[in-house]
Amino acid sequence: ARIASNSPKTFMGLPEVKIGLLPGGAGTQLLPRLVGLQGALDMILTGKNIYAYKAKKMGLVDDVVEPDKLKRAAIIMAERLLKKPMERKGKKGFMNWFLEKTPVGRNVVLKQAGKMAMKQSQGNYPAIPAILDCIETGVKKGLEAGLAKEREHFEALMLTPESKALRSLFFATTDNKKNPYGKSEREIHTLGMIGAGFMGAGIAEVSVTKGVNVLLKDIAPETLQTAQSQIWKSLQKKVKRRALSKPEAQKQMGNLQPQLDYRAFDQADMVIEAVLEKMDLKKVIIKDIEEHSPEDVIIASNTSSLSLTEMAQAAKKPENVIGMHYFSPVPKMPLLEIVTTEQTSKEVISACYDFGLKQGKTVVVVKDGPGFYVNRILGPYLNECLLLVDEGAAFDVVDKALIKKGFPVGPITLLDQVGLDISAHVTEVTRPLFEPREGFKTTPAVTQMYEAGRLGRKNGQGFYTYDPKSKKRKGPDQSAYKFFNGNGDKKIPLEDMQNRAVLAMLNEAVMCLEEGLIANPTDGDLGAVFGIGFLPFTGGPFRYLDSWGPANVVAEMER
Ligand SMILES: NC(=O)c1ccc[n+]([C@@H]2O[C@H](COP(=O)([O-])OP(=O)(O)OC[C@H]3O[C@@H](n4cnc5c(N)ncnc54)[C@H](O)[C@@H]3O)[C@@H](O)[C@H]2O)c1
């Protein structure tokens, strides 16, 4: 029998799939027998965490008690088991019986799970079909056959390049938790957050949940209200999953102080601004922060495209100015890109690194420059995809090609999602960097689309059409081809499309390393995988380049 504590710190799972393996200690065989085929497939194929109450509901544990009652509960359970062996009852209902207990039903479940998993992984993760094979063998041919299959697949998976790459990412993420600048003396207890919009609210959320006091300032009362309810909703979701207790959620919410003025900013250890993307406004905000906060306060900007070096010139103490570039949506996206200028002090970087770790982020430190690192490598990739469209490829065909390659979102869809206003801005900021390069072709399409009033998904006009009510994406917007030379009717070989786009990104990543923008290839890999979702099974652009072979990459680029 198993008894779990109900602490939110208690969670269970079989995470091996995340490192390209399968749960080799009989996990693929025993779990389906314990919790049923459907529950086991979900757990093993996703590697997700299951919290105590859900574990009890699905039959993974037999009882859930308060942490301090574990021993007592164990004794009671042991005494009960001495009298009567455990009888576990599966889920009730005809449908469940059919899907779990009949050969036809199990076949339906296995087939459906296989289809879903392959769609999500696009055939890029060998662990997925291997896990399905083990489970299917166990279900159809019995435990012994299943265990043999498990051994066979485990040994093969250990040697796959995908598992090696995923393991190296895992170790790099673990190493990343050590602050390379040394543990900071300055702890951030109080954060001033200026701008409670989409990003500000997200940064506030990942801070209050870690016990940081957040003074959340905006100029619009309704934005403050929206931010508050957004954070509360997010906490409630965790309460519902029993990943957080109600009093703890209330306590976390208590760490948030929404306000329209600079009250209590004299207590702030750090202030992050996430107001509109306008240099003049950001400079005014820096002056305001200096006026209302302690002299040595850290002044951070969440800008995604403006020069930190220029911004820092507005500060009395430019050594305290730094970029804290979060990705949207902040509570979900794992990366924090810290941007430093020539003047930023080591002590400030160190404090920000620790703060990012506290917020649960994977942190990379990069130097200031157009697009920093993540958006800079994204630039030539998106540009290449737009050039494919210019040559006649259809929007959805380019998207599908890169999803098949392993990106979480197609590049054209991504532009619509980010918004063509922001995309045009980033394009213009990075243009001076790319255009002077010999042979580098750019397309003005996104800027022209923005100037024509197309903002992407947010106003329902972009590369695709959107349902006005649900904002759900419909088909490609044929009228958007007028911004291109092509009209979507030309076929370009799949591999050519994939290689051209990916190589443009690899090339840029190497340039960032050469220019010293990133400190080492590992940071480049982490930034790309966690910031953009760059093909995790390759381990990131630099590792991918190594496995492809630099000479082969050059040959393919020259072709
Ligand atoms: N949206 C993204 O995907 C994303 C990603 C990374 C970085 N960023 C950056 O984050 C910043 C904010 O972006 P967003 O998407 O949250 O914008 P947003 O429009 O949702 O929020 C901006 C907020 O700033 C407030 N504001 C404006 N002037 C102010 C002032 N003087 N004092 C206090 N508040 C003020 C506005 O009322 C608004 O609520 C920008 O610099 C943007 O480049 C955005």
Side-chain angles (χ1 to χ4, degrees):
R2 287 183 191 79
I3 306 169
S5 98
N6 68 358
S7 154
K9 287 188 187 141
T10 305
F11 52 83
M12 287 146 262
L14 292 175
E16 289 82 351
V17 69
K18 292 185 186 166
I19 49 171
L21 298 174
L22 53 77
T28 65
Q29 302 305 307
L30 300 184
L31 194 65
R33 286 168 172 78
L34 183 66
V35 303
L37 197 51
Q38 300 166 82
L41 279 164
D42 184 34
M43 273 182 77
I44 303 175
L45 288 172
T46 62
K48 67 164 121 168
N49 295 334
I50 306 284
Y51 291 88
Y53 287 100
K54 171 89 191 287
K56 166 110 194 286
K57 204 168 161 197
M58 66 190 283
L60 192 58
V61 298
D62 302 295
D63 208 356
V64 174
V65 296
E66 302 278 333
D68 59 350
K69 303 210 170 74
L70 269 176
K71 195 171 163 197
R72 177 95 200 99
I75 294 168
I76 295 174
M77 177 74 86
E79 283 167 350
R80 205 189 314 153
L81 287 178
L82 280 175
K83 286 183 200 136
K84 197 174 163 228
M86 169 85 64
E87 235 182 272
R88 293 195 175 99
K89 293 184 190 110
K91 274 194 194 159
K92 290 191 189 108
F94 169 75
M95 203 55 190
N96 238 328
W97 167 82
F98 170 72
L99 293 174
E100 294 288 344
K101 305 285 181 212
T102 69
V104 183
R106 287 169 167 173
N107 252 338
V108 172
V109 172
L110 283 164
K111 227 172 149 184
Q112 198 54 29
K115 238 172 106 187
M116 278 249 308
M118 288 313 275
K119 190 174 165 212
Q120 278 168 5
S121 66
Q122 294 290 328
N124 289 316
Y125 295 83
I128 302 281
I131 287 168
L132 287 163
D133 191 26
C134 292
I135 297 181
E136 184 164 0
T137 306
V139 164
K140 291 187 176 162
K141 299 191 179 150
L143 184 62
E144 280 310 313
L147 288 172
K149 204 35 120 197
E150 202 182 82
R151 276 193 298 276
E152 181 194 320
H153 277 307
F154 189 86
E155 280 169 21
L157 285 175
M158 279 288 286
L159 302 175
T160 57
E162 289 82 358
S163 173
K164 279 190 195 146
L166 289 166
R167 275 178 279 149
S168 91
L169 261 186
F170 173 76
F171 289 123
T173 317
T174 312
D175 280 349
N176 187 270
K177 296 201 169 83
K178 280 184 233 115
N179 185 342
Y181 294 84
K183 186 146 178 61
S184 166
E185 307 265 298
R186 298 171 67 157
E187 211 179 314
I188 313 297
H189 299 288
T190 299
L191 170 73
M193 183 68 236
I194 305 186
F198 190 53
M199 296 302 289
I203 300 168
E205 178 178 333
V206 298
S207 307
V208 293
T209 52
K210 297 296 167 357
V212 177
N213 291 317
V214 178
L215 313 166
L216 180 62
K217 181 192 180 298
D218 203 285
I219 43 171
E222 58 281 4
T223 310
L224 284 175
Q225 254 190 351
T226 312
Q228 255 177 302
S229 63
Q230 183 187 315
I231 297 172
W232 182 238
K233 246 194 226 156
S234 174
L235 295 182
Q236 286 309 304
K237 262 194 205 154
K238 289 191 208 163
V239 171
K240 213 168 156 204
R241 270 195 295 135
R242 311 257 194 145
L244 185 70
S245 69
K246 245 189 210 161
E248 189 55 32
Q250 275 156 353
K251 196 171 146 211
Q252 292 182 358
M253 208 58 204
N255 294 336
L256 186 75
Q257 179 59 53
Q259 55 194 63
L260 292 163
D261 52 23
Y262 280 97
R263 207 172 333 147
F265 267 63
D266 57 351
Q267 304 294 316
D269 302 297
M270 174 194 239
V271 180
I272 304 179
E273 73 74 24
V275 299
L276 309 177
E277 190 73 334
K278 296 211 166 78
M279 181 60 87
D280 291 346
L281 176 62
K282 306 242 186 213
K283 285 183 178 171
V284 171
I285 298 281
I286 289 181
K287 296 246 178 292
D288 285 353
I289 296 171
E290 283 174 339
E291 193 186 322
H292 295 96
S293 313
E295 212 183 325
D296 62 347
V297 71
I298 297 173
I299 303 180
S301 169
N302 178 46
T303 177
S304 44
S305 63
L306 300 174
S307 159
L308 252 308
T309 309
E310 183 184 339
M311 219 181 280
Q313 281 163 11
K316 281 190 211 141
K317 293 192 161 187
E319 65 273 24
N320 287 343
V321 177
I322 195 164
M324 293 278 273
H325 184 210
Y326 295 85
F327 293 78
S328 82
V330 183
K332 285 224 175 89
M333 291 295 282
L335 188 72
L336 166 65
E337 188 177 34
I338 291 185
V339 188
T340 64
T341 73
E342 292 295 327
Q343 287 172 293
T344 315
S345 81
K346 291 264 177 321
E347 197 207 348
V348 166
I349 306 175
S350 168
C352 290
Y353 199 106
D354 275 348
F355 190 54
L357 290 182
K358 189 175 190 172
Q359 292 170 323
K361 300 294 172 200
T362 296
V363 185
V364 294
V365 179
V366 310
K367 288 201 178 129
D368 187 24
F372 315 135
Y373 170 69
V374 174
N375 282 342
R376 170 145 164 209
I377 63 168
L378 200 55
Y381 161 82
L382 291 174
N383 182 60
E384 198 62 35
C385 294
L386 292 168
L387 289 177
L388 289 167
V389 174
D390 223 33
E391 288 167 30
F395 302 147
D396 53 334
V397 172
V398 175
D399 270 347
K400 278 187 200 133
L402 286 137
I403 285 181
K404 177 95 195 85
K405 183 77 185 163
F407 284 93
V409 191
I412 308 295
T413 301
L414 181 67
L415 285 164
D416 262 4
Q417 280 179 4
V418 169
L420 300 190
D421 47 348
I422 295 175
S423 302
H425 186 69
V426 177
T427 309
E428 292 313 312
V429 168
T430 45
R431 187 187 294 284
L433 189 76
F434 302 135
E435 253 178 9
R437 290 189 198 160
E438 204 189 316
F440 197 101
K441 232 165 96 185
T442 56
T443 141
V446 170
T447 308
Q448 287 172 356
M449 287 172 79
Y450 163 59
E451 281 165 3
R454 287 178 186 254
L455 300 181
R457 188 173 59 178
K458 65 181 112 170
N459 78 343
Q461 292 173 43
F463 292 92
Y464 289 91
T465 53
Y466 294 86
D467 184 277
K469 265 199 193 137
S470 67
K471 297 238 163 155
K472 256 195 153 165
R473 198 187 81 179
K474 298 198 312 200
D477 182 347
Q478 295 302 327
S479 69
Y481 283 109
K482 70 168 175 269
F483 298 94
F484 294 90
N485 289 317
N487 56 7
D489 60 358
K490 198 176 149 204
K491 277 206 163 58
I492 300 177
L494 177 75
E495 211 174 309
D496 282 3
M497 288 194 279
Q498 294 172 332
N499 285 353
R500 277 176 56 181
V502 170
L503 285 170
M505 194 183 267
L506 295 192
N507 184 54
E508 203 57 34
V510 172
M511 291 186 79
C512 289
L513 182 65
E514 276 173 3
E515 290 170 27
L517 221 90
I518 45 173
N520 53 56
T522 307
D523 279 0
D525 284 340
L526 289 175
V529 172
F530 293 118
I532 303 170
F534 181 92
L535 327 177
F537 58 90
T538 66
F542 289 95
R543 223 192 133 89
Y544 190 32
L545 210 149
D546 280 347
S547 65
W548 202 338
N552 298 333
V553 170
V554 173
E556 179 65 25
M557 284 182 76
E558 280 170 352
R559 187 173 77 84

